[in-house]
Amino acid sequence: MTRQLTVSTPDSRLFTVDTPGGAPALVFLNGAFATVQTWNRVIERIDGRFRSVRFDARARGKSGPSADYSVQAAVDDVGRVIDATEVERPVLVGWSHGATIAVRYAAQHADAVGGLVLVDGAYPVVMLDDAGQEKVRAQFRRLGWLMRALAVFGRSARMSPAESAEVVIEMDAVNGELGRDFAALRCPTVFVVGTGGHSGATADEMRRSRAAVTAAEAANPLVSVYATSPYKHTQILSKDPGTVVAAIDEVVRASS
């Protein structure tokens, strides 16, 4: 039976959903402002074959606010959830921001992770110059009202526009450092690459970002592209869950 639990951090609490199933366990890591609901169609396709653990990051969904929304805090929270649920060597499945967190956690805890599935994220390249960072800040100032409205229904982050912008800006900077993280991985790692642009990046910008997947592959023979989805970044989990589940199956096979 699926259970809900709360995992404590130094100044927050993480809403966590633990769905029973077989081994290995899967730990799902959301996009920057997404919630556990993002993974619903993927979980349905898994159909209990694997135990599945999902959680809302700080100030997202049903989790509590925090004074720290940094990448390292998010990485540390993955460990807290793993410890609280007592899963062993899980496969981490991360989308977008969650893919970046997955790679960094696995690099820092190489023996604790059984595999990685990276859904259109964790491309090792910096995309934002100073002008790009200001564009991100301006975009979140415009979207602040919408995010606040969605947060009432647990569908977005309860963060200020400035805090939200810094999440994106720091993620971009960390992505530029991921080359050494990929080199440190000891587990099978696959990418599901998206297609086209989205509201936060043009098709050309996403093409440049995705092209950096070749650097991740070059850094470590355990890293490869499993598939390219015909759907854009924000649609993959809802419209192409079968490809994500097939990538999970591939990593499970490779790690067994």
Side-chain angles (χ1 to χ4, degrees), residues 167-207:
V167 167
V168 174
I169 290 167
E170 188 194 9
M171 179 189 69
D172 181 69
V174 169
N175 282 344
E177 303 168 352
L178 286 184
R180 62 175 178 263
D181 295 77
F182 278 109
L185 298 180
R186 299 180 193 169
C187 60
T189 299
V190 303
F191 281 88
V192 174
V193 178
T195 300
H198 60 95
S199 60
T202 66
D204 284 345
E205 289 169 337
M206 289 304 298
R207 189 177 300 111

Side-chain angles (χ1 to χ4, degrees), residues 12 22 71 112 116 182:
S12 188
V71 165
L116 298 178
F182 278 109

Side-chain angles (χ1 to χ4, degrees), residues 54-75:
R54 296 171 281 167
F55 68 98
D56 287 332
R58 303 179 187 202
R60 283 79 148 183
K62 297 181 180 180
S63 289
S66 173
D68 187 357
Y69 300 116
S70 67
V71 165
Q72 190 56 53
V75 169

Side-chain angles (χ1 to χ4, degrees), residues 168-253:
V168 174
I169 290 167
E170 188 194 9
M171 179 189 69
D172 181 69
V174 169
N175 282 344
E177 303 168 352
L178 286 184
R180 62 175 178 263
D181 295 77
F182 278 109
L185 298 180
R186 299 180 193 169
C187 60
T189 299
V190 303
F191 281 88
V192 174
V193 178
T195 300
H198 60 95
S199 60
T202 66
D204 284 345
E205 289 169 337
M206 289 304 298
R207 189 177 300 111
R208 178 186 159 206
S209 176
R210 291 166 179 144
V213 75
T214 58
E217 291 178 301
N220 193 321
L222 292 170
V223 179
S224 64
V225 173
Y226 175 75
T228 296
S229 172
Y231 294 96
K232 65 183 182 180
H233 183 76
T234 54
Q235 296 176 327
I236 298 172
L237 300 184
S238 61
K239 293 192 174 183
D240 199 11
T243 295
V244 177
V245 173
I248 292 169
D249 287 335
E250 175 65 20
V251 167
V252 170
R253 282 193 294 270

Side-chain angles (χ1 to χ4, degrees), residues 3-247:
R3 66 173 178 142
Q4 297 179 358
L5 64 151
T6 299
V7 176
S8 296
T9 79
D11 73 342
S12 188
R13 64 191 187 282
L14 306 177
F15 173 73
T16 304
V17 180
D18 186 355
T19 302
L26 311 175
V27 175
F28 291 90
L29 306 180
N30 308 334
F33 309 108
T35 73
V36 295
Q37 303 301 321
T38 305
W39 298 100
N40 284 352
R41 294 192 179 180
V42 174
I43 299 296
E44 290 170 2
R45 292 289 187 106
I46 290 169
D47 194 27
R49 290 187 296 119
F50 305 114
R51 182 181 175 188
S52 301
V53 175
R54 296 171 281 167
F55 68 98
D56 287 332
R58 303 179 187 202
R60 283 79 148 183
K62 297 181 180 180
S63 289
S66 173
D68 187 357
Y69 300 116
S70 67
V71 165
Q72 190 56 53
V75 169
D76 293 342
D77 285 349
V78 176
R80 292 184 177 101
V81 170
I82 288 174
D83 289 344
T85 54
E86 299 182 324
V87 296
E88 296 183 3
R89 286 183 54 80
V91 172
L92 305 185
V93 186
W95 167 59
S96 192
H97 180 272
T100 299
I101 301 304
V103 173
R104 179 133 292 184
Y105 180 86
Q108 293 179 5
H109 304 84
D111 295 327
V113 177
L116 298 178
V117 177
L118 309 175
V119 183
D120 212 27
Y123 301 118
V125 61
V126 171
M127 295 295 296
L128 300 174
D129 56 14
D130 290 345
Q133 292 179 9
E134 286 307 311
K135 180 181 176 182
V136 169
R137 294 186 180 103
Q139 182 180 42
F140 278 102
R141 285 194 293 270
R142 290 194 303 270
L143 292 175
W145 68 271
L146 178 59
M147 292 184 69
R148 287 192 296 272
L150 291 173
V152 171
F153 301 98
R155 295 178 57 195
S156 186
R158 297 184 305 284
M159 301 163 65
S160 71
E163 289 170 331
S164 299
E166 290 310 309
V167 167
V168 174
I169 290 167
E170 188 194 9
M171 179 189 69
D172 181 69
V174 169
N175 282 344
E177 303 168 352
L178 286 184
R180 62 175 178 263
D181 295 77
F182 278 109
L185 298 180
R186 299 180 193 169
C187 60
T189 299
V190 303
F191 281 88
V192 174
V193 178
T195 300
H198 60 95
S199 60
T202 66
D204 284 345
E205 289 169 337
M206 289 304 298
R207 189 177 300 111
R208 178 186 159 206
S209 176
R210 291 166 179 144
V213 75
T214 58
E217 291 178 301
N220 193 321
L222 292 170
V223 179
S224 64
V225 173
Y226 175 75
T228 296
S229 172
Y231 294 96
K232 65 183 182 180
H233 183 76
T234 54
Q235 296 176 327
I236 298 172
L237 300 184
S238 61
K239 293 192 174 183
D240 199 11
T243 295
V244 177
V245 173

